[in-house]
Coordinates of all heavy atoms in Angstrom, one line a residue:
M41 N 4.1 -10.0 -8.0 CA 4.2 -9.5 -6.6 C 5.3 -10.2 -5.8 O 6.0 -9.6 -5.0 CB 2.9 -9.5 -5.9 CG 1.8 -8.6 -6.5 SD 2.4 -6.9 -6.5 CE 1.0 -6.1 -6.9
R42 N 5.3 -11.6 -5.8 CA 6.2 -12.3 -5.1 C 7.7 -12.0 -5.5 O 8.6 -11.9 -4.7 CB 5.9 -13.8 -5.2 CG 6.8 -14.7 -4.4 CD 6.5 -16.1 -4.5 NE 7.3 -16.9 -3.5 CZ 6.9 -18.1 -3.1 NH1 5.9 -18.6 -3.5 NH2 7.7 -18.7 -2.2
Q43 N 7.8 -11.9 -6.9 CA 9.2 -11.6 -7.4 C 9.6 -10.2 -6.9 O 10.8 -10.0 -6.6 CB 9.1 -11.6 -8.9 CG 9.0 -13.0 -9.5 CD 8.8 -13.0 -11.0 OE1 7.9 -12.2 -11.5 NE2 9.5 -13.8 -11.7
E44 N 8.7 -9.3 -6.9 CA 9.0 -7.9 -6.4 C 9.4 -7.9 -5.0 O 10.4 -7.3 -4.6 CB 7.7 -7.0 -6.6 CG 7.9 -5.6 -6.3 CD 8.2 -4.8 -7.6 OE1 8.4 -5.4 -8.7 OE2 8.2 -3.6 -7.5
R45 N 8.7 -8.7 -4.2 CA 9.0 -8.8 -2.7 C 10.4 -9.4 -2.6 O 11.2 -9.0 -1.8 CB 8.0 -9.6 -2.0 CG 8.2 -9.7 -0.5 CD 7.5 -10.8 0.1 NE 7.9 -12.1 -0.4 CZ 7.2 -13.2 -0.4 NH1 6.0 -13.2 0.2 NH2 7.7 -14.3 -0.9
D46 N 10.6 -10.6 -3.3 CA 11.9 -11.3 -3.1 C 13.1 -10.4 -3.5 O 14.1 -10.4 -2.8 CB 11.9 -12.6 -4.0 CG 10.9 -13.6 -3.4 OD1 10.4 -13.4 -2.3 OD2 10.6 -14.6 -4.1
Y47 N 12.9 -9.7 -4.6 CA 14.0 -8.8 -5.1 C 14.2 -7.7 -4.1 O 15.4 -7.4 -3.8 CB 13.6 -8.3 -6.5 CG 14.5 -7.3 -7.1 CD1 15.8 -7.7 -7.4 CD2 14.1 -6.0 -7.5 CE1 16.7 -6.8 -8.1 CE2 15.0 -5.1 -8.1 CZ 16.3 -5.6 -8.4 OH 17.2 -4.7 -9.0
A48 N 13.1 -7.1 -3.6 CA 13.3 -6.0 -2.7 C 13.9 -6.5 -1.4 O 14.8 -5.8 -0.8 CB 11.9 -5.4 -2.3
Q49 N 13.6 -7.6 -0.9 CA 14.1 -8.1 0.3 C 15.6 -8.5 0.2 O 16.4 -8.4 1.1 CB 13.3 -9.3 0.9 CG 11.9 -8.8 1.4 CD 11.1 -9.9 2.0 OE1 11.3 -11.0 1.8 NE2 10.0 -9.4 2.7
Q50 N 15.9 -9.0 -1.0 CA 17.4 -9.3 -1.3 C 18.2 -8.1 -1.2 O 19.3 -8.0 -0.7 CB 17.5 -10.0 -2.6 CG 18.9 -10.4 -3.0 CD 19.6 -11.4 -2.0 OE1 18.9 -12.2 -1.5 NE2 20.8 -11.2 -1.8
L51 N 17.7 -7.0 -1.9 CA 18.4 -5.7 -1.9 C 18.5 -5.1 -0.4 O 19.5 -4.5 -0.1 CB 17.8 -4.7 -2.8 CG 17.9 -5.1 -4.3 CD1 16.9 -4.3 -5.1 CD2 19.4 -4.7 -4.7
Q52 N 17.5 -5.4 0.4 CA 17.6 -4.9 1.8 C 18.6 -5.7 2.5 O 19.4 -5.1 3.3 CB 16.2 -5.1 2.4 CG 15.2 -4.1 2.0 CD 13.8 -4.4 2.5 OE1 13.5 -4.4 3.7 NE2 12.9 -4.9 1.6
R53 N 18.7 -7.0 2.3 CA 19.7 -7.8 3.0 C 21.1 -7.4 2.5 O 22.1 -7.4 3.3 CB 19.5 -9.3 2.7 CG 18.4 -9.9 3.5 CD 18.3 -11.4 3.3 NE 17.8 -11.8 2.1 CZ 16.5 -12.0 1.9 NH1 15.6 -11.8 2.9 NH2 16.0 -12.3 0.7
E54 N 21.3 -6.9 1.3 CA 22.6 -6.5 0.7 C 22.9 -5.0 1.2 O 24.0 -4.6 0.9 CB 22.5 -6.5 -0.8 CG 22.5 -7.9 -1.3 CD 22.2 -8.0 -2.8 OE1 22.2 -6.9 -3.5 OE2 22.0 -9.1 -3.4
G55 N 22.0 -4.4 1.9 CA 22.2 -3.0 2.4 C 22.1 -2.0 1.3 O 22.6 -0.8 1.5
K56 N 21.5 -2.3 0.2 CA 21.3 -1.3 -0.9 C 19.9 -0.6 -0.7 O 19.8 0.6 -1.1 CB 21.3 -2.0 -2.2 CG 22.7 -2.6 -2.6 CD 23.6 -1.4 -2.8 CE 25.0 -1.9 -3.1 NZ 26.0 -0.8 -3.3
W57 N 18.9 -1.3 -0.2 CA 17.6 -0.7 -0.1 C 17.4 -0.6 1.4 O 17.0 -1.5 2.1 CB 16.5 -1.7 -0.7 CG 15.2 -1.1 -0.9 CD1 14.5 -0.2 -0.1 CD2 14.2 -1.5 -1.9 NE1 13.3 0.1 -0.6 CE2 13.1 -0.7 -1.7 CE3 14.3 -2.4 -3.0 CZ2 12.0 -0.8 -2.6 CZ3 13.2 -2.5 -3.8 CH2 12.0 -1.7 -3.6
I58 N 17.7 0.6 2.0 CA 17.9 0.7 3.4 C 16.6 1.1 4.2 O 16.5 1.0 5.4 CB 19.0 1.7 3.8 CG1 18.9 3.1 3.2 CG2 20.4 1.0 3.3 CD1 20.0 4.0 3.7
H59 N 15.6 1.7 3.4 CA 14.3 2.0 4.1 C 13.2 1.7 3.0 O 13.4 2.0 1.8 CB 14.2 3.4 4.5 CG 15.0 3.8 5.7 ND1 14.7 3.4 7.0 CD2 16.2 4.5 5.8 CE1 15.7 3.8 7.8 NE2 16.6 4.5 7.1
L60 N 12.1 1.1 3.5 CA 10.9 0.9 2.7 C 9.7 1.2 3.5 O 9.4 0.4 4.4 CB 10.9 -0.5 2.1 CG 9.7 -1.0 1.4 CD1 9.4 -0.1 0.2 CD2 9.9 -2.5 0.9
W61 N 9.0 2.3 3.2 CA 7.9 2.7 4.0 C 6.6 2.7 3.1 O 6.7 3.2 1.9 CB 8.1 4.1 4.6 CG 9.1 4.2 5.6 CD1 10.4 4.4 5.5 CD2 8.9 4.0 7.0 NE1 11.1 4.4 6.7 CE2 10.2 4.1 7.7 CE3 7.8 3.7 7.8 CZ2 10.3 4.0 9.0 CZ3 8.0 3.6 9.2 CH2 9.2 3.7 9.8
R62 N 5.5 2.3 3.6 CA 4.2 2.4 2.9 C 3.7 3.9 3.1 O 3.8 4.4 4.2 CB 3.2 1.4 3.4 CG 1.8 1.6 2.9 CD 1.7 1.2 1.4 NE 1.8 -0.2 1.1 CZ 2.4 -0.7 0.0 NH1 3.0 0.2 -0.9 NH2 2.5 -2.0 -0.2
I63 N 3.2 4.5 2.1 CA 2.6 5.8 2.2 C 1.1 5.5 2.6 O 0.4 4.8 1.9 CB 2.6 6.6 0.9 CG1 4.1 6.9 0.5 CG2 1.9 7.9 1.0 CD1 4.3 7.6 -0.8
V64 N 0.7 6.0 3.7 CA -0.6 5.7 4.3 C -1.7 6.1 3.3 O -1.7 7.2 2.7 CB -0.8 6.4 5.6 CG1 -2.2 6.2 6.1 CG2 0.2 6.0 6.6
G65 N -2.6 5.1 3.0 CA -3.8 5.4 2.2 C -3.5 5.2 0.7 O -4.3 5.5 -0.1
E66 N -2.3 4.8 0.3 CA -1.9 4.7 -1.1 C -1.2 3.4 -1.3 O -0.5 2.9 -0.4 CB -0.9 5.9 -1.5 CG -1.5 7.2 -1.4 CD -0.5 8.3 -1.8 OE1 0.4 8.0 -2.6 OE2 -0.6 9.4 -1.4
Y67 N -1.3 2.9 -2.6 CA -0.4 1.8 -2.9 C 0.9 2.3 -3.5 O 1.1 2.3 -4.7 CB -1.1 0.9 -4.0 CG -0.3 -0.4 -4.2 CD1 -0.1 -1.4 -3.3 CD2 0.4 -0.5 -5.4 CE1 0.7 -2.5 -3.5 CE2 1.2 -1.6 -5.7 CZ 1.3 -2.6 -4.7 OH 2.1 -3.7 -4.9
S68 N 1.6 3.0 -2.6 CA 2.9 3.6 -3.0 C 3.8 3.5 -1.8 O 3.4 3.1 -0.7 CB 2.7 5.1 -3.2 OG 1.7 5.4 -4.1
N69 N 5.1 3.7 -2.1 CA 6.0 3.7 -1.0 C 7.1 4.8 -1.1 O 7.2 5.4 -2.2 CB 6.7 2.3 -0.9 CG 7.7 2.1 -2.1 OD1 8.7 2.7 -2.2 ND2 7.2 1.2 -3.1
Y70 N 7.7 5.1 0.1 CA 8.9 5.9 0.1 C 10.0 4.9 0.4 O 10.0 4.1 1.3 CB 8.9 7.0 1.2 CG 8.3 8.3 0.7 CD1 7.1 8.8 1.3 CD2 8.8 9.0 -0.3 CE1 6.5 9.9 0.9 CE2 8.3 10.2 -0.7 CZ 7.1 10.7 -0.1 OH 6.6 11.8 -0.5
S71 N 11.0 5.0 -0.4 CA 12.2 4.1 -0.3 C 13.5 4.9 -0.2 O 13.6 5.9 -0.9 CB 12.3 3.1 -1.4 OG 11.2 2.2 -1.4
V72 N 14.4 4.4 0.5 CA 15.7 5.0 0.6 C 16.8 4.0 0.2 O 16.8 2.9 0.7 CB 16.1 5.6 2.0 CG1 17.5 6.2 2.0 CG2 15.0 6.6 2.4
F73 N 17.6 4.3 -0.8 CA 18.6 3.4 -1.3 C 20.0 4.0 -1.0 O 20.2 5.2 -1.0 CB 18.5 3.3 -2.9 CG 17.2 2.6 -3.3 CD1 16.1 3.3 -3.5 CD2 17.1 1.2 -3.5 CE1 14.9 2.8 -3.9 CE2 16.0 0.6 -3.9 CZ 14.8 1.4 -4.1
D74 N 20.9 3.1 -0.7 CA 22.3 3.5 -0.5 C 23.1 2.9 -1.6 O 23.5 1.7 -1.6 CB 22.8 3.0 0.9 CG 24.2 3.5 1.2 OD1 24.8 4.2 0.4 OD2 24.7 3.1 2.3
V75 N 23.4 3.7 -2.6 CA 24.0 3.3 -3.8 C 25.2 4.1 -4.1 O 25.4 5.2 -3.6 CB 23.0 3.3 -5.0 CG1 21.9 2.3 -4.9 CG2 22.5 4.7 -5.3
D76 N 26.1 3.6 -5.0 CA 27.3 4.3 -5.3 C 27.2 5.3 -6.5 O 28.1 6.1 -6.7 CB 28.4 3.3 -5.6 CG 28.8 2.4 -4.4 OD1 28.7 3.0 -3.3 OD2 29.1 1.3 -4.6
S77 N 26.1 5.1 -7.3 CA 26.0 6.0 -8.5 C 24.6 6.0 -9.0 O 23.8 5.1 -8.6 CB 26.9 5.4 -9.6 OG 26.4 4.1 -10.0
N78 N 24.3 7.0 -9.8 CA 23.0 7.0 -10.5 C 22.8 5.8 -11.4 O 21.7 5.3 -11.4 CB 22.9 8.3 -11.4 CG 22.8 9.5 -10.6 OD1 22.5 9.5 -9.4 ND2 23.2 10.6 -11.2
D79 N 23.9 5.3 -12.0 CA 23.7 4.1 -12.8 C 23.3 2.9 -12.0 O 22.5 2.1 -12.4 CB 25.1 3.8 -13.6 CG 25.3 4.8 -14.7 OD1 24.4 5.5 -15.1 OD2 26.5 5.0 -15.0
E80 N 23.9 2.8 -10.8 CA 23.6 1.6 -10.0 C 22.1 1.7 -9.6 O 21.4 0.7 -9.6 CB 24.5 1.6 -8.7 CG 24.1 0.4 -7.8 CD 24.9 0.3 -6.6 OE1 25.6 1.3 -6.2 OE2 24.8 -0.8 -5.9
L81 N 21.6 2.9 -9.2 CA 20.2 3.1 -8.8 C 19.3 2.8 -10.0 O 18.3 2.1 -9.8 CB 20.0 4.5 -8.3 CG 18.5 4.7 -7.9 CD1 18.1 3.8 -6.8 CD2 18.3 6.2 -7.4
H82 N 19.7 3.2 -11.1 CA 18.8 2.9 -12.3 C 18.8 1.4 -12.6 O 17.7 0.9 -12.9 CB 19.3 3.7 -13.5 CG 18.4 3.5 -14.7 ND1 17.2 4.1 -14.8 CD2 18.5 2.7 -15.8 CE1 16.6 3.7 -15.9 NE2 17.4 2.9 -16.5
A83 N 19.9 0.8 -12.4 CA 19.9 -0.7 -12.7 C 19.0 -1.4 -11.6 O 18.2 -2.3 -12.0 CB 21.3 -1.2 -12.5
I84 N 19.1 -1.0 -10.4 CA 18.2 -1.6 -9.3 C 16.7 -1.3 -9.7 O 15.9 -2.3 -9.7 CB 18.6 -1.0 -8.0 CG1 19.9 -1.5 -7.5 CG2 17.4 -1.3 -7.0 CD1 20.4 -0.9 -6.2
L85 N 16.4 -0.1 -10.0 CA 15.0 0.2 -10.2 C 14.5 -0.4 -11.5 O 13.3 -0.9 -11.5 CB 14.8 1.8 -10.3 CG 15.1 2.6 -9.0 CD1 15.0 4.1 -9.3 CD2 14.1 2.2 -7.9
S86 N 15.3 -0.4 -12.5 CA 14.8 -1.0 -13.8 C 14.7 -2.5 -13.8 O 14.0 -3.1 -14.6 CB 15.6 -0.5 -15.0 OG 17.0 -0.9 -14.8
N87 N 15.3 -3.1 -12.8 CA 15.2 -4.6 -12.6 C 14.0 -5.0 -11.8 O 13.7 -6.1 -11.6 CB 16.4 -5.2 -12.0 CG 17.5 -5.4 -13.1 OD1 17.2 -5.8 -14.2 ND2 18.7 -5.0 -12.8
L88 N 13.3 -4.0 -11.2 CA 12.0 -4.3 -10.5 C 11.0 -4.9 -11.4 O 10.8 -4.3 -12.5 CB 11.5 -3.0 -9.8 CG 12.1 -2.6 -8.5 CD1 11.7 -1.1 -8.3 CD2 11.8 -3.5 -7.4
P89 N 10.4 -6.0 -11.1 CA 9.4 -6.6 -12.0 C 8.3 -5.7 -12.4 O 7.8 -5.8 -13.5 CB 8.9 -7.8 -11.2 CG 10.0 -8.2 -10.3 CD 10.7 -6.9 -9.9
L90 N 7.9 -4.8 -11.5 CA 6.8 -3.8 -11.8 C 7.3 -2.5 -12.4 O 6.5 -1.6 -12.6 CB 6.0 -3.6 -10.6 CG 5.3 -4.8 -10.0 CD1 4.5 -4.5 -8.7 CD2 4.3 -5.4 -11.0
F91 N 8.6 -2.4 -12.7 CA 9.2 -1.1 -13.2 C 8.4 -0.5 -14.3 O 8.2 0.7 -14.3 CB 10.7 -1.3 -13.6 CG 11.3 -0.1 -14.0 CD1 11.6 0.9 -13.1 CD2 11.6 0.1 -15.4 CE1 12.3 2.1 -13.5 CE2 12.3 1.3 -15.8 CZ 12.6 2.3 -14.9
T92 N 8.0 -1.3 -15.3 CA 7.3 -0.7 -16.4 C 6.0 0.0 -16.0 O 5.6 1.0 -16.7 CB 6.9 -1.8 -17.4 OG1 8.1 -2.6 -17.6 CG2 6.4 -1.3 -18.7
Y93 N 5.4 -0.4 -14.9 CA 4.1 0.2 -14.5 C 4.3 1.3 -13.4 O 3.3 1.8 -12.9 CB 3.2 -0.9 -13.9 CG 3.1 -2.1 -14.9 CD1 3.9 -3.2 -14.7 CD2 2.3 -2.0 -16.0 CE1 3.8 -4.3 -15.6 CE2 2.2 -3.0 -16.9 CZ 3.0 -4.2 -16.7 OH 2.9 -5.2 -17.6
M94 N 5.5 1.5 -13.0 CA 5.8 2.4 -11.8 C 6.0 3.9 -12.3 O 6.5 4.1 -13.4 CB 7.0 2.0 -11.1 CG 6.8 0.6 -10.4 SD 8.4 -0.1 -9.8 CE 9.0 1.2 -8.8
E95 N 5.6 4.8 -11.4 CA 6.0 6.2 -11.5 C 7.0 6.4 -10.4 O 6.7 6.3 -9.2 CB 4.8 7.1 -11.4 CG 5.1 8.6 -11.6 CD 3.8 9.4 -11.5 OE1 2.8 9.0 -12.1 OE2 3.9 10.5 -10.9
V96 N 8.3 6.7 -10.8 CA 9.4 6.9 -9.9 C 9.9 8.3 -9.9 O 10.1 8.9 -10.9 CB 10.5 5.9 -10.3 CG1 11.7 6.1 -9.3 CG2 10.0 4.5 -10.3
H97 N 10.0 8.8 -8.7 CA 10.7 10.2 -8.5 C 11.9 10.0 -7.6 O 11.8 9.4 -6.6 CB 9.7 11.1 -7.8 CG 8.4 11.3 -8.6 ND1 8.3 12.2 -9.6 CD2 7.2 10.7 -8.5 CE1 7.1 12.2 -10.1 NE2 6.4 11.2 -9.4
V98 N 13.0 10.4 -8.1 CA 14.3 10.2 -7.4 C 14.7 11.6 -6.8 O 14.8 12.6 -7.5 CB 15.4 9.7 -8.3 CG1 16.7 9.6 -7.6 CG2 15.0 8.3 -8.8
T99 N 15.0 11.6 -5.5 CA 15.6 12.8 -4.9 C 16.9 12.4 -4.3 O 17.0 11.7 -3.3 CB 14.7 13.3 -3.7 OG1 13.4 13.5 -4.3 CG2 15.2 14.5 -3.1
P100 N 18.0 12.9 -4.9 CA 19.4 12.6 -4.3 C 19.5 13.2 -3.0 O 19.1 14.4 -2.8 CB 20.3 13.2 -5.3 CG 19.5 13.4 -6.6 CD 18.1 13.7 -6.1
L101 N 20.1 12.5 -2.0 CA 20.3 13.0 -0.7 C 21.8 13.0 -0.3 O 22.5 12.2 -0.8 CB 19.6 12.2 0.4 CG 18.0 12.0 0.2 CD1 17.5 11.0 1.2 CD2 17.3 13.4 0.4
A102 N 22.2 14.0 0.5 CA 23.5 14.1 1.0 C 23.5 14.1 2.5 O 22.5 14.4 3.1 CB 24.2 15.3 0.5
V103 N 24.6 13.8 3.1 CA 24.7 13.8 4.6 C 24.5 15.2 5.1 O 25.1 16.1 4.6 CB 26.1 13.2 5.0 CG1 26.3 13.4 6.5 CG2 26.2 11.8 4.6
H104 N 23.7 15.3 6.1 CA 23.5 16.6 6.8 C 24.6 16.8 7.9 O 24.7 15.9 8.7 CB 22.1 16.7 7.4 CG 21.7 18.2 7.7 ND1 22.3 18.8 8.8 CD2 20.9 19.0 7.1 CE1 21.8 20.0 8.9 NE2 21.0 20.2 7.9
P105 N 25.3 17.9 7.9 CA 26.3 18.1 8.9 C 25.9 18.0 10.4 O 26.7 17.8 11.3 CB 27.0 19.4 8.6 CG 25.9 20.1 7.8 CD 25.1 19.1 7.0
S106 N 24.6 18.2 10.6 CA 24.1 18.2 12.0 C 23.5 16.9 12.4 O 23.0 16.7 13.5 CB 23.0 19.3 12.2 OG 23.5 20.6 11.9
D107 N 23.5 15.9 11.5 CA 23.0 14.6 11.8 C 24.0 13.8 12.7 O 25.1 13.5 12.3 CB 22.8 13.8 10.5 CG 22.1 12.4 10.8 OD1 22.0 12.0 11.9 OD2 21.8 11.8 9.8
I108 N 23.5 13.6 14.0 CA 24.4 12.9 15.0 C 24.6 11.4 14.6 O 25.5 10.8 15.2 CB 23.9 13.1 16.4 CG1 22.5 12.3 16.5 CG2 23.8 14.5 16.8 CD1 22.1 12.2 18.0
H109 N 23.9 10.9 13.7 CA 24.0 9.5 13.4 C 25.0 9.2 12.2 O 25.4 8.1 11.9 CB 22.7 8.9 13.0 CG 21.7 9.0 14.0 ND1 21.7 8.3 15.2 CD2 20.6 9.8 14.1 CE1 20.7 8.7 16.0 NE2 20.0 9.6 15.4
Q110 N 25.5 10.3 11.6 CA 26.4 10.2 10.5 C 27.8 10.5 10.9 O 28.1 11.6 11.4 CB 26.0 11.1 9.3 CG 24.7 10.8 8.7 CD 24.7 9.6 7.8 OE1 25.8 9.1 7.4 NE2 23.5 9.0 7.5
S111 N 28.8 9.5 10.7 CA 30.1 9.8 11.1 C 30.9 10.7 10.1 O 32.0 11.2 10.4 CB 30.9 8.4 11.2 OG 30.8 7.7 10.0
A112 N 30.3 10.9 8.9 CA 31.0 11.6 7.8 C 30.9 13.1 8.1 O 31.4 13.9 7.4 CB 30.4 11.3 6.5
S113 N 30.1 13.6 9.1 CA 29.9 15.0 9.4 C 31.2 15.6 9.8 O 32.1 15.0 10.4 CB 28.8 15.2 10.4 OG 29.2 14.6 11.6
T114 N 31.3 16.9 9.6 CA 32.6 17.6 9.9 C 32.3 18.6 11.1 O 31.3 19.0 11.3 CB 33.1 18.4 8.7 OG1 32.1 19.3 8.2 CG2 33.5 17.5 7.6
Ligands
LIG250 O1 4.1 -2.4 -2.5 C1 4.8 -1.5 -3.1 O2 4.9 -0.3 -2.8 C2 5.7 -2.0 -4.2 C3 6.8 -2.8 -3.7 C4 8.1 -2.4 -3.6 C5 8.9 -3.4 -3.0 C6 7.9 -4.4 -2.8 O3 8.0 -5.5 -2.3 O4 6.7 -4.0 -3.2

């Protein structure tokens, strides 16, 4: 658990793991990663100490053109 936390917090400091939320009433989380590729995300996830025991669902996200916080919008 300590290794999991240290690894997660290091990735947050690096700007790769940009959101980490607890799902209320569950030992689960919703996380948002900012990565350059599927391969990078897989490397991050598979290096989690608890990866072998996790059920992971990945939903790729793109910038929404109406999001006022994103400068990439057109
Ligand atoms: O508590 C969890 O949901 C699992 C976890 C991910 C990063 C961390 O520190 O714990």
Side-chain angles (χ1 to χ4, degrees):
M41 291 303 192
R42 183 178 187 159
Q43 290 172 311
E44 189 92 351
R45 182 199 63 200
D46 291 349
Y47 180 60
Q49 291 184 342
Q50 179 62 36
L51 288 163
Q52 289 171 67
R53 283 188 284 271
E54 293 171 5
K56 292 294 177 181
W57 194 327
I58 60 174
H59 290 284
L60 174 58
W61 291 91
R62 175 66 74 216
I63 299 174
V64 175
E66 299 180 22
Y67 186 70
S68 305
N69 68 72
Y70 271 118
S71 291
V72 179
F73 295 86
D74 186 357
V75 293
D76 296 325
S77 66
N78 290 339
D79 287 340
E80 182 182 10
L81 180 57
H82 185 75
I84 287 171
L85 295 174
S86 60
N87 279 319
L88 283 162
L90 298 177
F91 180 71
T92 310
Y93 309 99
M94 295 166 54
E95 183 176 317
V96 179
H97 302 274
V98 175
T99 304
L101 300 174
V103 172
H104 193 290
S106 301
D107 183 352
I108 63 170
H109 303 290
Q110 296 286 344
S111 58
S113 61
T114 56

